[in-house]
């Protein structure tokens, strides 16, 4: 059985990530890209589906771990009765190949160690052909994939596994390098001892140099920086795309079917990402993400998707792989994501908001960008009254989701502001009229006077935590009684053990069996609302509660189970870390959450007040 989700840490090289367990086992790795097939897939099955273990051979081990400084170099310290040793894990990139480096260093006494390498390409389904090469490396090859293991530690084959035993004493080291490259190209040469030491220095320098640009806020600087480093780990160095998570099919409910592939780039993350990166001073990454966004959505406006591949690919067909039993029996395991075919009106608001914010931050001055925005708005003008599948990508059929209409309002609001603030050309009065029409309809049909709250969809009394975004995006000011009523209703009905659920899954709105954890981003949105409402003590208390849910190396999944007291969902989750960064910024600024989409951020020139519509 795999470890608990929070028992994993992540390492990466800007192209992919690996999940390293506290026990020294790498149970998940896709090569060469985030969304490539996995060669280690024990996370969703058993060791026989692929993993790489390096750990002491004895029992009764004490384990501590940390990242080395402000890097993604992971250090796991094993303490045994006979001594202690440190396992150093990091990933490296050279000449179109990926390198996974594992170094065992003796700290005290002598420690007997073991290694077990089980390579299974194509998500655990293909046993590769193993052979010894002339240079001493062990080669694993199947179809287009090739792995080369280089190590001074003698290994042997046992039952389609590669195993080895060795001992390290104080000051001694044993190194392992696993290289991936396409099987149809010449194999890259092995790293010499000096080259391996230089690779470690380069990786250290890369992460430390990147983090040095961060100017820590007054409070929670370490937590914010670790979240930013996690976002950087989920960002592709060349395309600029940022994947939602490093994994597929980690369940939102153990044993259930709420298992999705998150190794893709969602437009919904766009504005949150830009705010987080720009607010933290990482303008190069914000620019790369903005340019990815512009390339991805380019084309006919009626072809806009809600999710794309790492390079902007559009075909992400969803299918199931039956040979994997799923994490703790949570089946099915899914590849691809069927939400790619859904209509989600809110993404128009996210995209227009992202472009507007980028323009205010000085990242976008292109006429082509505005032409694309105008085309998107013109299409939205035709379809905003249609039902859609909404922010939660429900599979129970389209509805008139209130949040979707609010974000349609955001799209027109940002288009209007772009004309007013930047002198761009467009039908200003018509877009103002549409903005007012949407605002009026949301307030009339999306608000339930009996509950004194905005509701999930028109004509349905179900509550939804996405409505916490209403004051954040500027649809209504935070002191509006309907905003206060919505916050109170969320507190009454959707808060479990101090954490916020997305909605009542017993309502069958999503077409799935009920039950899931608390959605961490929603809980951070409640923090932002507390700040906007001047409830600073409650905001700080909830934020600290959320920080305590991170594992010991500062990582968060998508959800948290308040009853089982464990993380759930894909890991590490960009949306959770984005929300953490933005809430910390909110709490650390005099304007509170006004740095979010209804106003300005830091040096960004403040925009108009929360809403031009007061229906």
């Amino acid at each position: 059985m795999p470890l608990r989700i929070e028992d994993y840490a992540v390492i990466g090289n800007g192209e992919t990530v690996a999940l390293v367990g506290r026990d020294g086992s790498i149970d998940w790795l896709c090569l060469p890209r985030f969304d490539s097939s996995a060669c280690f897939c024990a996370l969703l099955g058993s060791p026989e589906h692929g993993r790489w273990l390096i750990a002491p051979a004895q029992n009764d081990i004490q384990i501590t771990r940390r990242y080395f400084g402000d890097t993604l170099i992971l250090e796991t310290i094993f303490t045994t009765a006979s001594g202690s040793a440190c396992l150093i894990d990091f990933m490296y990139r050279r000449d179109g190949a990926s390198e996974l480096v594992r170094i065992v260093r003796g700290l005290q006494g002598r420690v007997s160690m073991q290694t077990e390498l089980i390579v299974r390409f194509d998500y655990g389904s293909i046993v590769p052909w193993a052979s010894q090469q002339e240079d001493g490396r062990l080669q694993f090859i199947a179809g287009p994939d090739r792995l080369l293991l280089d190590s001074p530690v003698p290994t042997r084959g046992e039952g389609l596994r590669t195993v080895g035993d060795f001992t390290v004493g104080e000051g001694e080291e044993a190194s392992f390098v696993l290289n991936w490259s396409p099987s149809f190209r010449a194999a890259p040469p092995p790293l010499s001892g000096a080259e391996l030491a230089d690779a470690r220095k380069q990786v250290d320098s890369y992460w430390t140099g990147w983090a040095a640009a961060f100017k820590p806020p007054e409070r929670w600087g370490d937590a914010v920086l670790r979240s930013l480093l996690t976002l950087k780990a989920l960002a592709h160095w060349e395309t600029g795309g940022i994947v939602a998570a490093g994994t597929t099919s980690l369940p939102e409910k153990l044993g259930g079917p709420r298992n999705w592939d998150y190794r893709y780039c969602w437009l919904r993350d766009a504005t949150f990402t830009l705010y987080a990166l720009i607010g933290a001073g990482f303008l190069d990454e914000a620019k790369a993400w903005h340019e990815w966004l512009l390339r991805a959505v380019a084309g006919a406006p009626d072809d806009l998707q809600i999710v794309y591949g790492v390079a902007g690919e559009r075909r992400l067909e969803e299918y199931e792989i039956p040979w994997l039993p799923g994490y703790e029996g949570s089946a099915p395991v899914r590849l691809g994501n069927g939400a790619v075919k859904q209509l989600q009106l809110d993404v128009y608001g996210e995209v227009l908001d992202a472009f507007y914010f980028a323009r205010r931050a000085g990242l976008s001055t292109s006429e082509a960008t505005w032409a694309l925005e105008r085309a998107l708005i013109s299409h939205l003008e035709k379809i905003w009254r249609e039902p859609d599948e909404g922010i939660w990508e429900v599979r129970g059929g389209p509805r008139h989701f209130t949040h979707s209409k609010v974000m349609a309002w955001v799209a027109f609001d940002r288009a209007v502001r772009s004309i007013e603030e930047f002198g761009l050309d467009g039908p200003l009065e018509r877009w103002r009229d549409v903005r007012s029409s949407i605002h009026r309809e949301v307030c009339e049909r999306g608000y339930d006077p009996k509950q004194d709250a905005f509701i999930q969809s028109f004509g349905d009394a179900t509550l939804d935590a996405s409505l916490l975004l209403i004051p954040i995006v500027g649809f209504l000011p935070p002191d509006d009684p309907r905003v206060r009523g919505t916050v109170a209703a969320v507190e009454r009905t959707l808060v479990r053990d101090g954490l916020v659920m997305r909605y009542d899954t017993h309502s069958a709105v999503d077409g799935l069996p009920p039950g899931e954890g608390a959605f961490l981003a929603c809980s951070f949105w409640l923090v932002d609302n507390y700040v906007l409402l001047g409830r600073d003590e409650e905001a700080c208390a909830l934020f600290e509660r959320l920080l305590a849910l991170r594992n010991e190396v500062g990582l968060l999944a998508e959800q948290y189970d308040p009853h089982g007291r464990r993380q759930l969902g894909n890991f590490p989750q960009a949306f959770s870390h984005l929300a953490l960064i933005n809430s910390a910024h909110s709490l650390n600024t005099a304007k509170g959450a006004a740095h979010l989409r209804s106003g300005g951020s830091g040096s960004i020139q403040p925009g108009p007040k929360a809403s031009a519509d007061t229906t």
Side-chain angles (χ1 to χ4, degrees), residues 517-579:
F519 199 81
L520 294 175
C522 294
S523 299
F524 284 112
W525 297 343
L526 185 57
V527 172
D528 295 328
N529 273 261
Y530 284 161
V531 174
L532 285 167
L533 293 169
R535 297 163 61 176
D536 293 343
E537 290 187 9
E538 291 169 279
C540 288
L542 178 53
F543 188 73
E544 293 281 2
R545 166 93 167 89
L546 290 164
L547 290 186
L549 303 182
R550 299 174 303 150
N551 66 8
E552 76 269 39
V553 291
L555 301 180
L556 288 169
E558 179 185 33
Q559 300 186 8
Y560 186 81
D561 179 2
H563 303 293
R565 299 195 176 278
R566 58 181 299 185
Q567 296 192 28
L568 294 174
N570 284 304
F571 178 89
Q573 177 81 5
F575 213 33
S576 298
H577 287 281
L578 286 168

Side-chain angles (χ1 to χ4, degrees), residues 298-320:
D302 55 349
D303 287 337
L304 183 71
Q305 297 182 179
I306 59 99
V307 58
Y308 295 84
V310 176
E313 298 90 346
R314 290 172 174 261
R315 297 189 183 277
L316 309 176
E317 283 80 3
E318 182 179 306
Y319 61 99
E320 300 173 4

Side-chain angles (χ1 to χ4, degrees), residues 84-86 104-109 111 168-173:
S84 60
C86 178
V104 180
R105 178 179 298 159
L107 300 178
Q108 182 267 327
V111 182
V168 290
E170 184 175 345
E172 297 176 346
E173 283 190 358

Side-chain angles (χ1 to χ4, degrees), residues 18 46 80 87 132 148 155 164 183 311 313 320 378 387-388 396 407 430 437-438 525 553 556 571 574:
S46 70
T80 71
L87 172 62
Q132 195 82 34
L148 291 163
T155 58
S183 63
E313 298 90 346
E320 300 173 4
S378 295
D388 73 330
M407 294 309 297
R430 192 176 85 228
S437 296
I438 299 173
W525 297 343
V553 291
L556 288 169
F571 178 89

Side-chain angles (χ1 to χ4, degrees), residues 370-389:
W370 178 240
L372 175 60
E373 291 176 70
R374 287 193 58 168
L376 292 173
I377 279 289
S378 295
H379 182 62
L380 181 61
E381 191 172 358
K382 301 173 186 175
I383 66 170
W384 72 266
R385 294 184 184 276
E386 295 181 11
D388 73 330
E389 278 85 3

